């Protein structure tokens, strides 16, 4: 892979180094050079400087079907580069440390663990210590907000996790899709619990399932949908649930709702930016303009969106610049020059699905153990 543009030569790079060509298998090959970006590009708006001809040609060959693993790898590499000059995103409210300690104790009582992740960013909402905490305990992986990703995204993630032997349920906690399947799967995975108890002459007990995951991924909403009543506080912002709470689902299933847990220090800043984009981390932890700028830089690269769709939606001609320059023009047009308000507008539009079914991640290369 070519190296990213350096500060001294970034203006000499063209976004598309060569015209598309066909390989030996008659498959269209598109060469994408590194994004135009100096280290202070988020502040200066020096991103994706496309000519009008290049912009108009994008929809003709950068379709969802043509985007492959290498394209996502290049986007990830650029995202890591973009985040380097930014203020680090860090968020660790005081209640999380207490929750983490209590949760580790409660895990010993659980028959099965339900880990909830954001379907738009499944890897970024995976706690690095989760495998260590769970050990050999049975696990169900829930990818919530399935209504916000495409069928291709869903299929890619289903295949990826199936290869790892993980039981995956796609859900929409707001509408209840996938919740009944989740309840049945949790009970079925723990059927041997009462078999062993009866063998010892003990009375059967409800299956204990703990629901864990990052903040604001929809844990409480899933429980409320399962119970068909509001038993756990839920709101579309991180940090609402602040204590562990057991609730009963029928006669044979108990669920533990837990506050979102997140590492004390976010070492992967590309993942941290995605958490901010998807509203899975506290708002005070990041600069809203920086995050909105990077979101725009990502959206313009995704074939399902692209520069034309962004310009058309906001009626802003950014002179082929998508980033801070775009936000500046949007702020002048709609918010009297308030860039923060323009940034919130772009982020909220993404969070509400106004851009369509968009995933910000695709599965990494899977290497069998």
């Amino acid at each position: 892979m070519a190296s990213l543009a350096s500060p001294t030569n970034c203006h000499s790079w063209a976004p598309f180094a060569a015209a598309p060509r066909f390989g030996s298998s008659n498959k269209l090959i598109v060469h994408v050079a590194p994004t135009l970006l100096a280290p202070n590009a988020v502040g200066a708006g020096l991103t994706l400087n496309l000519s009008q001809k290049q912009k108009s040609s994008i929809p003709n060959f950068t379709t969802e079907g043509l985007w492959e693993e290498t394209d996502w790898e290049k986007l990830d590499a650029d995202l890591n580069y973009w985040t380097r000059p930014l203020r680090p995103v860090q968020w660790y409210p005081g209640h999380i440390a207490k929750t983490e300690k209590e949760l580790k104790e409660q895990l010993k009582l659980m028959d099965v663990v339900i880990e909830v992740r954001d379907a738009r960013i499944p890897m970024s909402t995976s706690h690095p210590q989760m495998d260590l905490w769970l050990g050999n305990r049975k696990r169900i992986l829930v990818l919530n907000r399935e209504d916000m990703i495409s069928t291709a995204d869903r299929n890619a993630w289903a295949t990826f996790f199936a290869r790892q032997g993980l039981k995956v349920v796609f859900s929409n906690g707001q509408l209840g899709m996938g919740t009944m399947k989740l309840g049945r799967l949790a009970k079925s995975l723990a059927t041997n619990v009462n078999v062993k108890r009866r063998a010892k002459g003990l009375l059967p007990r409800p299956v204990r399932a703990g629901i864990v995951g990052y903040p604001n991924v929809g844990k409480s909403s899933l429980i409320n949908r399962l119970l068909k009543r509001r038993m756990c506080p839920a709101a579309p912002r991180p940090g609402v649930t602040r204590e562990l709470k057991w609730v009963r689902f029928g006669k044979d299933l108990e669920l533990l709702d837990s506050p979102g847990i997140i590492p004390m220090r976010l070492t992967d800043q590309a993942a941290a930016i995605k958490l901010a984009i998807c509203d899975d981390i506290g708002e005070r932890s990041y600069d809203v303009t920086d995050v909105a700028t990077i979101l725009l830089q990502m959206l313009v690269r995704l074939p399902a969106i692209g520069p034309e769709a962004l310009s058309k939606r906001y009626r802003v001609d950014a002179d082929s610049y998508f980033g801070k320059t775009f936000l500046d023009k949007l702020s002048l047009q709609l918010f009297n020059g308030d860039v923060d308000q323009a940034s919130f507008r772009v982020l909220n539009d993404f969070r509400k699905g106004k851009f369509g079914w968009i995933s910000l991640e695709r599965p990494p290369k899977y290497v069998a153990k």
Side-chain angles (χ1 to χ4, degrees):
M1 182 185 298
S3 60
L4 290 169
S6 66
T8 56
N9 66 2
C10 66
H11 292 288
S12 65
W13 289 84
F16 299 101
R21 64 181 178 83
F22 288 88
S24 57
S25 60
N26 290 327
K27 187 174 183 180
L28 181 62
I29 301 174
V30 180
H31 291 281
V32 183
T35 307
L36 298 181
L37 191 67
N40 63 344
V42 170
L46 301 176
T47 60
L48 274 175
N49 188 4
L50 307 180
S51 69
Q52 194 62 39
K53 181 178 180 180
Q54 288 167 331
K55 285 169 63 182
S56 63
S57 67
I58 287 177
N60 294 330
F61 59 84
T62 54
T63 63
E64 186 71 35
L66 295 176
W67 254 56
E68 297 182 353
E69 195 173 77
T70 53
D71 297 296
W72 285 97
E73 288 174 353
K74 290 174 183 176
L75 181 57
D76 287 341
D78 281 349
L79 180 57
N80 282 311
Y81 194 78
W82 297 337
T83 59
R84 289 179 192 173
L86 304 184
R87 185 191 83 189
V89 175
Q90 299 295 342
W91 188 68
Y92 195 74
H95 72 275
I96 291 184
K98 178 183 177 183
T99 296
E100 186 175 309
K101 182 178 180 180
E102 293 177 347
L103 185 60
K104 289 177 183 178
E105 292 299 316
Q106 292 294 326
L107 281 171
K108 300 174 183 177
L109 305 175
M110 296 178 191
D111 304 310
V112 59
V113 176
I114 300 169
E115 182 190 357
V116 184
R117 300 187 194 178
D118 189 324
R120 297 168 295 180
I121 49 171
M123 302 307 292
S124 295
T125 46
S126 172
H127 197 292
Q129 298 296 313
M130 189 63 69
D131 289 341
L132 179 64
W133 293 342
L134 300 188
N136 294 325
R137 199 164 277 102
K138 294 180 179 179
R139 183 200 308 200
I140 300 171
L141 180 60
V142 175
L143 297 187
N144 195 32
R145 302 192 179 111
E146 70 158 341
D147 57 310
M148 303 187 78
I149 62 173
S150 69
T151 300
D153 294 324
R154 173 178 170 144
N155 292 341
W157 285 111
T159 301
F160 174 75
F161 288 117
R163 287 175 177 172
Q164 299 182 53
L166 281 173
K167 300 287 186 180
V168 181
V169 175
F170 288 86
S171 71
N172 179 344
Q174 293 296 320
L175 299 179
M177 295 168 60
T179 52
M180 297 310 296
K181 178 181 179 181
L182 175 60
R184 291 193 300 269
L185 185 57
K187 294 175 188 177
S188 67
L189 285 181
T191 51
N192 66 330
V193 171
N194 285 317
V195 172
K196 292 180 180 179
R197 287 179 65 84
R198 290 189 184 96
K200 296 177 181 179
L202 300 174
L203 293 174
R205 64 163 175 79
V207 171
R208 296 169 183 156
I211 298 186
V212 301
Y214 268 44
N216 203 36
V217 293
K219 301 181 296 297
S220 297
S221 295
L222 277 174
I223 291 180
N224 290 336
R225 281 293 178 178
L226 270 170
L227 300 176
K228 297 183 180 179
R229 61 186 186 277
R230 188 180 178 87
M231 290 293 292
C232 303
R237 64 180 186 277
V240 173
T241 304
R242 289 180 171 267
E243 60 183 18
L244 300 174
K245 182 179 181 180
W246 284 98
V247 293
R248 179 70 69 88
F249 178 52
K251 297 180 180 180
D252 49 6
L253 181 62
E254 290 179 346
L255 299 168
L256 176 66
D257 186 27
S258 64
I261 48 174
I262 197 168
M264 182 178 292
R265 182 169 181 79
L266 298 172
T267 55
D268 185 345
Q269 284 298 295
I273 287 291
K274 294 175 191 174
L275 293 175
I277 289 173
C278 294
D279 203 21
D280 293 334
I281 195 171
E283 193 176 285
R284 295 181 180 180
S285 67
Y286 57 87
D287 182 287
V288 65
T289 300
D290 286 347
V291 173
T293 298
I294 288 184
L295 173 60
L296 286 169
Q297 292 169 188
M298 294 181 74
L299 293 179
V300 78
R301 293 274 291 278
L302 297 178
I305 306 297
E308 296 289 347
L310 287 172
S311 292
K312 184 177 180 179
R313 174 169 183 78
Y314 295 111
R315 299 178 181 177
V316 171
D317 180 6
D319 299 326
S320 72
Y321 286 103
F322 286 87
K324 183 60 166 55
T325 300
F326 188 93
L327 284 176
D328 287 338
K329 293 197 172 187
L330 181 61
S331 69
L332 290 171
Q333 181 166 305
L334 298 179
F335 302 103
N336 295 319
D338 190 329
V339 179
D340 281 353
Q341 288 297 316
S343 300
F344 278 120
R345 170 66 179 274
V346 171
L347 287 173
N348 286 333
D349 282 352
F350 173 79
R351 292 165 181 171
K352 293 178 180 178
K354 298 295 181 65
F355 297 113
W357 300 329
I358 303 298
S359 175
L360 299 183
E361 292 179 344
R362 273 294 180 92
K365 290 181 179 178
Y366 176 72
V367 179
K369 294 182 181 180

